[in-house]
Amino acid sequence: MIPTHRRDVLRTGAGLVTGGALAAGCGTGQAAAPPTAPAPTSPSLHPPAAPAAPAPRAYPGRPAQITHGPRTRPQVALTFHGQGDPALARALLDTAEQRGARLTVLAVGTWLDQHPDLARRILDGGHDLGNHTQRHIGVNTLPEAEARREITDCAARLKRLTGSIGTWFRPSRAPAASPLVVRLARAAGYPHVLSYEVDSLDYTRPGAAAVTREVLAGVRNGSVVSLHFGYPDTVAALPDVLTELGRRGLRAVTTTELLS
């Protein structure tokens, strides 16, 4: 009886050893690791949304239509009507940033529809971004309902792309807004209309030297200058304009900084 029992015990032990070897062979050849807690969920691959752009501000003591800033500080605002070839727009922005200048861009809504990435490109460069109507037509000559749509449609584009309706509104096809357009702009959320006092006339394509002369002939402390994206003459003129402004001790800043 004892030998038989001993054989049974040995046979049972051998089976346990064989079973353990088979279990190890189903994995990596190492002892099975104890169960672990599930890995933490990986963060989203999508980057966080960019912060909303600045909203319009009221400047107490400033008129409804602003044509210039304080004459007491050596600063000027170079403001650009935003439409045209996006490559020229990027070249202007790059040149300004390389020289430490900041611009104000009043964008046309249809241009934003065609090149939506430029809204964030402008803001990421430290520039102001505003509303220059949806279709860039003569907003002062439109019936009230249509003029309102020109303002609010562009504001909606800006809001969708940047989280803000933009910091400024400038009327299209006119240096100044009519009383009706001033009222409609205020109702849309713009306390001021941004006009200008120096017109570069770059849209007449006079050549880079003429654009430079026109700007420098009129600019002084607090000046707001009108320029345009979309014209090679403007791209070519900007380095000389900035060089001469610097020689005169004038710094090109955003309109927001000019008035702050």
Side-chain angles (χ1 to χ4, degrees):
M1 294 297 293
I2 293 174
T4 301
H5 177 69
R6 187 168 181 270
R7 282 197 305 274
D8 291 340
V9 171
L10 290 172
R11 190 178 297 116
T12 300
L16 290 171
V17 171
T18 304
L22 289 173
C26 292
T28 61
Q30 299 175 347
T36 59
T41 304
S42 60
S44 170
L45 297 179
H46 298 289
R57 290 173 50 189
Y59 294 87
R62 292 284 168 190
Q65 298 205 61
I66 292 173
T67 58
H68 63 83
R71 301 298 190 189
T72 55
R73 296 197 300 269
Q75 298 175 336
V76 300
L78 303 181
T79 67
F80 286 78
H81 303 240
Q83 61 177 347
D85 184 349
L88 295 179
R90 292 188 179 94
L92 281 163
L93 295 168
D94 289 345
T95 297
E97 290 158 19
Q98 289 161 9
R99 291 169 174 260
R102 294 297 178 264
L103 313 177
T104 299
V105 180
L106 295 311
V108 176
T110 52
W111 187 70
L112 292 173
D113 289 340
Q114 295 166 357
H115 311 290
D117 59 303
L118 281 172
R120 186 53 60 179
R121 167 66 185 87
I122 291 163
L123 292 170
D124 288 347
H127 311 286
D128 273 0
L129 179 62
N131 178 335
H132 196 37
T133 73
Q134 177 61 18
R135 295 176 293 165
H136 199 255
I137 58 179
V139 67
N140 286 345
T141 66
L142 297 175
E144 180 171 344
E146 194 172 348
R148 180 184 294 108
R149 271 197 306 275
E150 282 296 307
I151 298 168
T152 58
D153 282 1
C154 186
R157 276 14 174 229
L158 288 164
K159 181 80 171 179
R160 175 172 53 82
L161 292 171
T162 71
S164 164
I165 63 172
T167 46
W168 300 101
F169 168 75
R170 171 172 285 169
S172 49
R173 304 286 182 181
S178 68
L180 170 63
V181 170
V182 170
R183 177 168 61 80
L184 294 175
R186 186 180 298 114
Y190 303 97
H192 304 278
V193 169
L194 180 60
S195 184
Y196 50 88
E197 67 172 1
V198 179
D199 190 346
S200 69
L201 301 177
D202 57 350
Y203 57 90
T204 66
R205 304 174 188 266
V211 172
T212 302
R213 283 196 305 271
E214 200 69 38
V215 171
L216 296 175
V219 75
R220 57 183 173 136
N221 282 10
S223 287
V224 176
V225 182
S226 171
L227 297 133
H228 292 74
F229 282 174
Y231 294 94
D233 290 349
T234 313
V235 179
L238 186 60
D240 288 342
V241 168
L242 293 174
T243 295
E244 180 60 21
L245 289 177
R247 193 186 70 77
R248 297 182 186 184
L250 295 171
R251 191 163 64 95
V253 299
T254 65
T255 307
T256 297
E257 184 174 351
L258 183 72
L259 296 170
S260 296

